[in-house]
Amino acid sequence: MAPSPLRFCLDYLSPYAYLAWLRMPALAARHGRTLEPVPVLLAGLLNAVGSIGPAEIPAKRVYVFKQTFRIAHEQGAPFTPPPSHPFNPLLSLRVTAAVDDVEARTRLATALYAAAWGEGRGIETPEQVGAVLQQAGFDAQALLARAASPEVKDRVRRNTDEALAQGTFGVPSVLVDGEMFWGVDSLGHLERFLEGRDPLTPDALARWQHLPSTASRR
């Protein structure tokens, strides 16, 4: 039986997800896993868990840019912020979800991330997304039409609901073998897990899960 894929929950809104995505193909190849991009709506995840995004906190918004700029420099990755942030990623997510073939979907995710965060282009409007699709070798008109279908809209909603059911609360998140790894800084932990060297034991986790709470924030 083939090993399960690395299911990468993405939203193009997140620069952290962009930086993690750049590392995922090589990581998956090292461990004999396929990479499956799963478009989810970050706003839906945040609403479901009662949280807000980093860009919604003014001081954190500035820090996110500083940190992701530094991570990009460390990775040697091109990094140019898009024209606005936060921006509306829904059309790009739906277009990605409209591609059934996993390899083609992976190629499209790479193209959209490169446009938004590598080149600093907008990926919100049909014209902007269509240009990326065409440059990446897709039938822009057909994919944009399919992205508007109830089936594809529901697919993004289902992806988001399924990610929530598996413990996802943000992006980037990688789902594999019953575990979830969140954030670009968790990729080293993901590698150790895939190598069978995860230091977290069930006993240690159980102790943490059953700790009582003696304070609450009002």
Side-chain angles (χ1 to χ4, degrees):
M1 182 181 295
S4 59
L6 302 179
R7 303 188 75 237
F8 186 93
C9 298
L10 64 88
D11 187 320
Y12 298 107
L13 186 63
S14 169
Y16 294 105
Y18 160 66
L19 294 167
W21 178 255
L22 294 179
R23 294 167 55 184
M24 288 304 298
L27 190 155
R30 282 196 295 273
H31 299 282
R33 305 277 183 146
T34 57
L35 176 60
E36 180 182 346
V38 181
V40 300
L41 185 62
L42 176 59
L45 297 177
L46 296 176
N47 288 341
V49 300
S51 184
I52 61 175
E56 297 175 271
I57 304 170
K60 198 169 186 179
R61 184 174 187 263
V62 174
Y63 183 79
V64 164
F65 172 74
K66 291 179 179 180
Q67 186 180 40
T68 51
F69 187 93
R70 288 166 174 151
I71 294 172
H73 177 78
E74 187 177 53
Q75 292 186 192
F79 190 76
T80 306
S84 64
H85 194 267
F87 60 84
N88 186 343
L90 195 52
L91 178 58
S92 287
L93 293 173
R94 287 173 175 167
V95 161
T96 306
V99 179
D100 294 323
D101 180 76
V102 172
E103 289 188 7
R105 196 187 320 143
T106 298
R107 181 162 54 88
L108 177 54
T110 299
L112 285 165
Y113 267 131
W117 291 102
E119 303 167 25
R121 294 161 54 187
I123 58 166
E124 294 184 84
T125 68
E127 293 75 20
Q128 291 169 337
V129 175
V132 177
L133 290 170
Q134 187 172 10
Q135 291 167 4
F138 291 90
D139 184 333
Q141 186 174 356
L143 267 183
L144 287 169
R146 189 170 186 220
S149 70
E151 173 197 359
V152 169
K153 291 179 180 179
D154 187 59
R155 186 175 294 177
V156 175
R157 284 193 291 266
R158 286 201 321 271
N159 285 349
T160 305
D161 289 342
E162 290 170 5
L164 281 165
Q166 294 177 74
T168 302
F169 48 82
V171 297
S173 292
V174 182
L175 303 171
V176 60
D177 298 346
E179 285 287 342
M180 189 274 291
F181 294 86
W182 172 64
V184 65
D185 54 349
S186 75
L187 296 187
H189 304 303
L190 170 61
E191 293 235 39
R192 284 184 284 277
F193 175 80
L194 295 172
E195 293 165 355
R197 299 190 297 113
D198 188 359
L200 182 62
T201 64
D203 287 345
L205 179 59
R207 286 196 296 273
W208 174 263
Q209 287 177 317
H210 298 300
L211 283 177
S213 173
T214 56
S216 62
R217 182 169 59 89
R218 294 179 181 176

